[in-house]
Amino acid sequence: MTHTAAGSTGGSDGGTAPGAGQDAAPAPRTAPAASARPLAEEYDTALLDLDGVVYAGPHAVDHAVEALEAARRAGMRLAYVTNNASRPPQAVADHLTELGVPAEASEVVTSAQAAARLVAEKVPAGSAVLVVGGRGLEEALEERGLRPVRSLDDGPAAVVQGYDPSVGWQHLAEAAYAVARGLPWVASNTDLTIPTARGTAPGNGTLVAAVRTATGAEPEVAGKPLPPMHRETVIRTGAERPLVVGDRLDTDIEGAANGGVDSLLVLTGVTTAAQLLAAPPVHRPTYVAADLRALLTAQPEVSSEAGGAYRCGGWTASVGGDGRLRLDGGGDPYDGLRALCAAAWTAADGGADAPDGRKALADLGL
């Protein structure tokens, strides 16, 4: 694998095993990395987010089914990693299979499973645990030898909270009563929103905020981008060289950074090209692509040019004296986006104000 852009630190040239400790933090990424080989050959396991990456509500994302089938044929293992704690792994696997992506429950890792492991480390085996959430949390607790209950009157030893559309005031009140008594409180995740077929709806983070406001307490959080989720994923998949694939900078990409592994951002979900250009170091992916077809291809080089410009494919990007990103050339618009990332990230890391990329992105149709 080649990584020739200035500041590139990801990929196999980094020389660090996934999740291994490092003596010093790597330098901030200042450009998307390159890969001489298709990503499905470079990495042994794809850790795929679901919403916005593989499917959007009841429908598969464009090109996802074909790309994942081809990646599997190329020898890449597929694992599906979700912060949504409402559905058990089997239900998620069934949904994927219905969409044309054959999956087993063992290939699905949820924040409910990560949360249940955290709870099991805090309470005796067989303990009752107050559940604020759905069947996904209950099954995860049962897998760890714990007993899910729904009332403080049942004598729980801890509280675990995850998203489920059935959660209402009474459930939140039970959680508040238990947390106020000092019981350990674990949240599957704190995503403020969740995508639905009708639009954006409150996520588990919004529901957690209600209990936090009522009690003044803070939960321990299991899901992306925090380390418990990465630990759970590695334990369950046995991945030795994983690639995190996601559509959210603040969960998928930050989670990969926290775990010390490489990441691929696909622009089929919530992240916009403008948000990518403005990303702080912890939110910068190793690779950037339109969709999951990127797993099947090499990734192009971003090279530094004279005068502070950056080139990718047929495009050259730079920051003008007026603080705006400039783009010249032609070709694949995502090559142009990669070059713009290098120019914008380098300028931001140098202490300059975030350059204005609106015109450049409009020229790319992004």
Side-chain angles (χ1 to χ4, degrees):
M1 178 180 286
T2 56
H3 299 287
T4 56
S8 180
T9 60
S12 58
D13 289 352
T16 302
Q22 295 178 322
D23 292 335
R29 174 170 300 286
T30 55
S35 174
R37 297 196 297 167
L39 298 181
E41 298 176 10
E42 188 65 33
Y43 297 89
D44 71 342
T45 308
L47 306 181
L48 295 136
D49 184 48
L50 290 171
D51 288 313
V53 176
V54 180
Y55 56 64
H59 304 293
V61 169
D62 289 346
H63 312 296
V65 173
E66 299 84 356
L68 292 175
E69 180 182 0
R72 193 190 294 272
R73 287 200 306 267
M76 183 178 236
R77 288 181 293 159
L78 307 178
Y80 304 96
V81 184
T82 177
N83 260 3
N84 190 329
S86 64
R87 294 190 295 171
Q90 187 62 59
V92 175
D94 290 344
H95 183 203
L96 288 167
T97 301
E98 290 169 2
L99 293 176
V101 183
E104 302 291 336
S106 60
E107 296 174 309
V108 177
V109 184
T110 73
S111 62
Q113 294 170 324
R117 189 180 295 273
L118 282 182
V119 173
E121 293 169 350
K122 299 176 182 299
V123 301
S127 293
V129 177
L130 178 64
V131 173
V132 182
R135 183 58 188 156
L137 273 177
E138 291 179 335
E139 284 197 7
L141 290 170
E142 290 165 353
E143 182 186 30
R144 301 251 71 86
L146 301 170
R147 181 166 55 91
V149 299
R150 293 289 179 169
S151 171
L152 181 59
D153 295 337
D154 294 319
V159 181
V160 64
Q161 182 173 357
Y163 169 78
D164 190 79
S166 68
V167 172
W169 181 90
Q170 186 62 50
H171 304 99
L172 297 175
E174 287 294 320
Y177 303 148
V179 170
R181 293 194 183 184
L183 271 64
W185 177 28
V186 174
S188 64
N189 68 295
T190 51
D191 297 357
L192 292 175
T193 61
I194 187 168
T196 74
R198 297 179 62 189
T200 299
N204 195 52
T206 303
L207 302 176
V208 165
V211 180
R212 179 191 296 118
T213 301
T215 64
E218 287 289 340
E220 185 172 358
V221 182
K224 296 181 286 186
L226 297 172
M229 188 67 172
H230 178 72
R231 177 181 63 154
E232 190 71 21
T233 301
V234 171
I235 289 171
R236 289 180 177 270
T237 64
E240 295 182 357
R241 182 149 182 76
L243 177 69
V244 170
V245 185
D247 70 312
R248 298 183 71 117
L249 299 178
D250 59 348
T251 55
D252 305 314
I253 305 308
E254 183 176 340
N258 289 339
V261 301
D262 289 349
S263 60
L264 165 65
L265 177 77
V266 291
L267 294 177
T268 51
V270 301
T271 297
T272 66
Q275 290 169 333
L276 177 62
L277 294 184
V282 74
H283 288 172
R284 295 173 187 170
T286 312
Y287 309 104
V288 176
D291 53 56
L292 287 176
R293 290 176 293 179
L295 294 174
L296 312 176
T297 63
Q299 296 300 298
E301 174 186 330
V302 181
S303 59
S304 56
E305 305 284 309
Y310 294 88
R311 183 176 184 83
C312 184
W315 296 97
T316 300
S318 61
V319 180
D322 58 359
R324 296 183 179 182
L325 286 168
R326 299 180 56 181
L327 190 65
D328 299 298
D332 185 339
Y334 286 88
D335 286 344
L337 178 60
R338 295 177 183 105
L340 287 171
C341 284
W345 295 350
T346 301
D349 290 352
D353 292 337
D356 185 343
R358 287 174 292 181
K359 183 179 184 305
L361 291 176
D363 292 342
L364 291 174
L366 300 175

